[in-house]
Amino acid sequence: MEKIVGRGAFSGIVEGIALVCPESIQGWSGISDTTGQIIEKGHSQEGVNINGRILVLPCSKGSNGWSCHFHSAMRSGFKPAGWVFSKMDSRAGVATVVVGSPAVADFKDVDPCEFIKNGDLIRINGDTGEVEILQRSLEN
């Protein structure tokens, strides 16, 4: 089993399908507050829903209101199951806490946006910082 280790950033263990966004997701006009879809024009995952997915991002992107859009989407019933951040920044930290999904961040020797492939089944442990690839996606 392939595994990478970062820093546990928000407690909990979750398994799910990775949604890899190497360019992150813009807060304002990046996530639909009412559908949970990525609506950022030209985004590699435009049209994909974040609900139940483990978001793999380098960091946040945009204004300090970044976390508000994830919170609004969560209030409408759409939230990520977990988060993997290459580097945790303040906007990402707030979003993690507001949404309440496990998170792993701050990887030193590997870029999770390159190691994890879109569609991989992964398990993240927000306590130990471990990210395990349970099954590689057949799409890659």
Side-chain angles (χ1 to χ4, degrees):
M1 185 175 315
E2 298 174 85
K3 177 171 70 171
I4 58 176
V5 179
R7 177 180 61 82
F10 195 84
S11 186
I13 299 170
V14 68
E15 293 180 8
I17 303 298
L19 179 57
V20 180
C21 303
E23 69 274 60
S24 196
I25 302 169
Q26 184 175 310
W28 183 259
S29 74
I31 297 286
S32 168
D33 295 350
T34 58
T35 68
Q37 285 188 316
I38 297 172
I39 57 172
E40 181 177 345
K41 296 296 179 203
H43 192 279
S44 64
Q45 301 295 347
E46 184 177 358
V48 177
N49 199 297
I50 65 167
N51 195 46
R53 303 289 292 269
I54 298 177
L55 295 183
V56 182
L57 309 163
C59 56
S60 65
K61 178 179 165 184
S63 73
N64 287 336
W66 194 75
S67 60
C68 296
H69 296 283
F70 287 97
H71 179 258
S72 293
M74 179 186 76
R75 298 281 311 231
S76 295
F78 306 98
K79 78 174 203 166
W83 311 83
V84 175
F85 294 104
S86 301
K87 291 285 182 194
M88 180 69 76
D89 58 32
S90 60
R91 293 174 299 247
V94 171
T96 299
V97 172
V98 167
V99 170
S101 297
V104 176
D106 300 331
F107 295 82
K108 292 182 181 173
D109 300 325
V110 63
D111 180 352
C113 293
E114 292 179 7
F115 182 79
I116 302 167
K117 304 300 180 201
N118 195 52
D120 286 353
L121 176 62
I122 64 175
R123 176 186 302 127
I124 66 170
N125 186 325
D127 299 311
T128 65
E130 295 177 321
V131 177
E132 297 173 272
I133 308 295
L134 301 176
Q135 182 177 340
R136 287 289 185 180
S137 171
L138 299 176
E139 300 171 16
N140 300 311

